[in-house]
Amino acid sequence: QVQLVESGGGLVQAGGSLRLSCAPSGRTFSTYAMGWFRQAPGKEREFVAAINWSDGYTYYANFVKGRFTISRENAKNTVYLQMNSLKAEDTANYYCAAAKSVSTMTSLDVDSWGQGTQVTVSS
């Protein structure tokens, strides 16, 4: 189990970009699949993207393909979500997550959650 801390959220106009960061905070760190979920007001939490730490395999929700890119920086144990061409519908609280694999993450079997970072896209 790890603790995760997100950053990089903010207010941006439609068509703009943001980059979210997530890093573990705790006494230990192991290889995980890491990724992002989001939850808008009145909506259920939904999967956004994930990356397998060991080999860099990525998987995306269909609604972000071609716009968002998930990546990792091994030296910092940090995962990023580069969000381009943002839309008003992307407005949500974005949560970093860690799981045993991409498949378990997409099945909502998440081991650790970050506290969330707010992304607001104005139209």
Side-chain angles (χ1 to χ4, degrees), residues 10-18 67-68 83-91 119-123:
L11 175 65
V12 65
Q13 293 186 358
S17 299
L18 286 173
R67 299 191 299 124
F68 293 7
M83 304 186 294
N84 299 325
S85 301
L86 283 162
K87 308 173 181 178
E89 64 198 66
D90 295 318
T91 295
V119 172
T120 302
V121 184
S122 62
S123 60

Side-chain angles (χ1 to χ4, degrees), residues 48-60:
V48 176
I51 185 167
N52 188 61
W53 200 259
S54 63
D55 61 10
Y57 169 79
T58 57
Y59 183 76
Y60 297 91

Side-chain angles (χ1 to χ4, degrees), residues 49-109:
I51 185 167
N52 188 61
W53 200 259
S54 63
D55 61 10
Y57 169 79
T58 57
Y59 183 76
Y60 297 91
N62 288 334
F63 61 82
V64 302
K65 285 184 177 179
R67 299 191 299 124
F68 293 7
T69 302
I70 188 169
S71 63
R72 73 198 197 281
E73 186 172 353
N74 291 337
K76 296 183 178 180
N77 292 326
T78 299
V79 64
Y80 303 97
L81 185 68
Q82 178 67 46
M83 304 186 294
N84 299 325
S85 301
L86 283 162
K87 308 173 181 178
E89 64 198 66
D90 295 318
T91 295
N93 202 325
Y94 283 71
Y95 296 90
C96 184
K100 294 180 175 63
S101 69
V102 169
S103 61
T104 60
M105 181 171 294
T106 59
S107 298
L108 302 180
D109 184 5

Side-chain angles (χ1 to χ4, degrees), residues 2-52:
V2 299
Q3 294 177 294
L4 305 173
V5 180
E6 308 100 328
S7 63
L11 175 65
V12 65
Q13 293 186 358
S17 299
L18 286 173
R19 188 180 73 161
L20 308 183
S21 300
C22 174
S25 178
R27 302 184 187 278
T28 62
F29 181 80
S30 299
T31 300
Y32 287 89
M34 297 183 67
W36 298 89
F37 290 75
R38 70 186 188 185
Q39 187 167 20
K43 304 295 184 181
E44 295 185 1
R45 185 171 55 196
E46 62 182 348
F47 170 78
V48 176
I51 185 167
N52 188 61

